[in-house]
Amino acid sequence: MANQLHPNVEALRKAGATRVKVAASDIDGILRGKYLHIDKFESASTGGFGFCDVVFGWDSQDTTYDNTSVTGWQHGFPDALARIDPDTARRVPWDDQVPFFLGEFVNADGSPYPVCPRQTLKRVLARAEKLGFEVMTGFEFEWFNFRETPQSWAAKRGVGPEPLSPGMFGYSVLRMADNPGFFKALMDEMEAFRVPIEGLHTETGPGVLEVAIAFSSALEQADRAILFKTGAREIGKRFGIMPSFMAKWSQQYPGCSGHIHQSLSDGKDNLFFGAEGRRGMSPLFESYVAGQVACLMEFAPLFWPTINSYKRLVDGFWAPVKPTWGIDNRTASFRVLAGSPRSTRLETRCPGADVNPYLAMAAVVAAGLHGVEQGLSLTTPPVTGTNQGAEAVARAPRTLIETTRAFRESAVARDWLGDTFVDHFAATREWEWRQWLDAVTDWELKRYFEII
């Protein structure tokens, strides 16, 4: 029956649940959601529920765009139809075990809402499936942590956050001992939240951590990634800790990455493994890497979506700044790990921690599969050492507006993501750039206020 409740939904009534938490991603990768009474949730689980489409019509500060056509004041910000995905059922350990579901947006006829990030990724994965591939992925995030609350941070007016720990101390067992409760909560409560963590450690920088989320299918991994970013912030509140996934909060420290590991499977075997291939890579793997090398700059705003993203792209600070590939080389944008049938994979190292996981995932998969569809070859040798062999390769642009213009004109992006999405996302990035142009920064005041 069309209106029959999904078992995951039916179980809530039997368990005595009275409220359910639901959320969906906006364009910036911020979860927007609400609590629903169990009666409303049961109805919504079969027919969807109304959710104001302003979530795609405003920026991260809730200021409405003036340059978008899909949504805007000209349409009156009506409700869009949010559809709950019952397979995302989980409970929130740090919120009294409240049931939680992720959702996505659809049109009135049930077709995918064209600018919904989760739907955008699903469109790419559906095309991958038609090609005969299951996409397997894993996210890694670096992020800084501070002894701040929203109130203390507001009182400081955005200046001088107090790091969780001092100094540059990567892989430190000693620093982990300083905050055992926070580490334990991240490991144990994320596991209970269906976001299993493979590894968690300190990184180089005061108060910075790195997490590796357990490998899974691509949609499940993107769900885990967006839930990790939100969950880490919510868990941190209990310990007086404010996590920040900003790409680069200080000029003097390395930035924060959002590396994406990938492989393609036919449901049984890792198709990237090639025992007889060059460097242990199958021809399919080579074409996939070649696609990402060729298309990096066309998809760049999905990897570097904010003004701040480009402050991370500086030489000598670990973040790759050129579309290069290498064999187990962390200075390259595309790190090829060619080993056993189980472990062979690609690590795309250029995205920052500030990505929308759905969109960054859609971009890497689309670029790689473009290479497969077109039969692209790796025409340059792998870089060695500190990007040796990449001297003639152009570096990435240093501003959001430059990459946004390339994205808007990209035929590959339009082919894989759709014209409506490309036009809308480009408009939102142009808006972000204009907000930056109008801002008077502390750098300008320090540099010009007295002297000029």
Side-chain angles (χ1 to χ4, degrees):
M1 294 175 60
N3 292 327
Q4 186 174 353
L5 293 180
H6 188 280
N8 287 342
V9 176
E10 206 168 37
L12 297 182
R13 177 78 71 174
K14 294 178 181 177
T18 58
R19 63 189 176 104
V20 181
K21 197 174 188 178
V22 297
S25 172
D26 72 5
I27 206 73
D28 287 297
I30 300 167
L31 282 183
R32 307 279 186 166
K34 60 178 73 176
Y35 291 105
L36 295 178
H37 187 275
I38 187 64
D39 293 341
K40 174 65 175 179
F41 175 76
E42 287 184 355
S43 171
S45 71
T46 58
F49 64 99
F51 204 128
C52 181
D53 78 355
V54 75
V55 295
F56 297 117
W58 62 17
D59 63 17
S60 61
Q61 306 301 306
D62 287 10
T63 303
T64 53
Y65 303 123
D66 64 7
N67 61 340
T68 58
S69 59
V70 174
T71 178
W73 285 113
Q74 71 273 28
H75 299 298
F77 291 116
D79 277 352
L81 185 61
R83 183 175 62 194
I84 291 163
D85 184 343
D87 291 329
T88 64
R90 52 203 0 112
R91 287 181 179 266
V92 187
W94 53 89
D95 188 5
D96 196 30
Q97 296 294 334
V98 64
F100 178 94
F101 290 78
L102 283 167
E104 58 200 18
F105 289 84
V106 296
N107 294 316
D109 62 1
S111 61
Y113 194 73
V115 301
C116 172
R118 195 169 191 265
Q119 292 280 25
T120 299
L121 173 57
K122 288 176 73 172
R123 287 197 299 273
V124 171
L125 296 178
R127 185 160 164 182
E129 186 176 4
K130 286 183 178 179
L131 293 170
F133 304 127
E134 180 182 4
V135 185
M136 304 298 295
T137 60
F139 253 106
E140 294 176 345
F141 287 116
E142 298 164 348
W143 81 99
F144 280 83
N145 298 275
F146 302 93
R147 294 203 178 279
E148 301 289 350
T149 66
Q151 292 75 22
S152 70
W153 185 228
K156 289 184 175 182
R157 299 181 181 274
V159 177
E162 179 187 348
L164 183 61
S165 60
M168 311 289 276
F169 209 169
Y171 301 102
S172 171
V173 174
L174 183 62
R175 288 288 179 257
M176 291 167 65
D178 291 337
N179 299 278
F182 184 46
F183 276 85
K184 183 178 187 301
L186 287 173
M187 292 292 293
D188 294 350
E189 294 179 30
M190 285 292 179
E191 177 78 26
F193 193 45
R194 284 184 50 202
V195 183
I197 292 174
E198 285 188 349
L200 177 67
H201 62 86
T202 68
E203 255 293 356
T204 299
V208 65
L209 303 178
E210 180 173 0
V211 69
I213 301 172
F215 219 59
S216 69
S217 59
L219 182 62
E220 171 66 21
Q221 186 66 202
D223 286 344
R224 292 177 182 180
I226 200 168
L227 291 173
F228 177 82
K229 291 176 72 173
T230 301
R233 294 186 184 100
E234 293 183 359
I235 290 172
K237 289 177 182 294
R238 193 163 80 239
F239 297 91
I241 294 170
M242 178 183 286
S244 174
F245 291 85
M246 188 173 178
K248 188 158 178 131
W249 81 271
S250 171
Q251 183 178 346
Q252 66 186 109
Y253 302 124
C256 295
S257 67
H259 302 157
I260 309 175
H261 293 253
Q262 307 134 71
S263 64
L264 296 181
S265 170
D266 60 3
K268 297 180 297 181
D269 298 318
N270 181 354
L271 301 178
F272 281 178
F273 177 71
E276 307 301 323
R278 294 188 303 166
R279 313 176 187 89
M281 302 170 67
S282 68
L284 174 75
F285 192 5
E286 290 208 19
S287 290
Y288 188 91
V289 177
Q292 291 205 17
V293 171
C295 298
L296 170 59
M297 297 311 170
E298 295 181 57
F299 286 102
L302 304 181
F303 302 139
W304 310 314
T306 72
I307 297 297
N308 178 256
S309 301
Y310 299 81
K311 304 299 176 69
R312 173 175 163 263
L313 303 182
V314 294
D315 295 302
F317 266 103
W318 289 95
V321 299
K322 294 183 176 184
T324 55
W325 73 283
I327 304 294
D328 197 6
N329 187 333
R330 285 183 168 86
T331 71
S333 288
F334 307 104
R335 177 189 175 213
V336 169
L337 294 154
S340 69
R342 180 179 175 85
S343 64
T344 297
R345 65 193 186 278
L346 173 67
E347 179 187 13
T348 300
R349 294 179 55 80
C350 42
D354 55 346
V355 292
N356 180 327
Y358 296 115
L359 300 183
M361 187 80 76
V364 296
V365 175
L369 291 180
H370 169 75
V372 171
E373 283 190 336
Q374 300 300 315
L376 300 184
S377 300
L378 287 168
T379 57
T380 58
V383 297
T384 59
T386 308
N387 259 318
Q388 294 172 4
E391 292 78 9
V393 178
R395 78 174 328 279
R398 291 301 306 276
T399 64
L400 178 60
I401 194 62
E402 291 175 88
T403 59
T404 296
R405 288 167 180 160
F407 174 72
R408 183 187 285 279
E409 298 302 318
S410 171
V412 177
R414 290 181 178 277
D415 177 33
W416 280 88
L417 307 181
D419 289 332
T420 302
F421 176 83
V422 170
D423 288 337
H424 181 76
F425 189 76
T428 69
R429 297 312 95 184
E430 289 168 354
W431 162 270
E432 195 76 7
W433 176 251
R434 284 195 284 123
Q435 307 320 295
W436 163 250
L437 289 180
D438 292 343
V440 178
T441 67
D442 61 342
W443 182 90
E444 294 166 277
L445 291 173
K446 291 173 184 177
R447 193 168 184 91
Y448 303 127
F449 188 84
E450 178 190 2
I451 302 300
I452 294 297

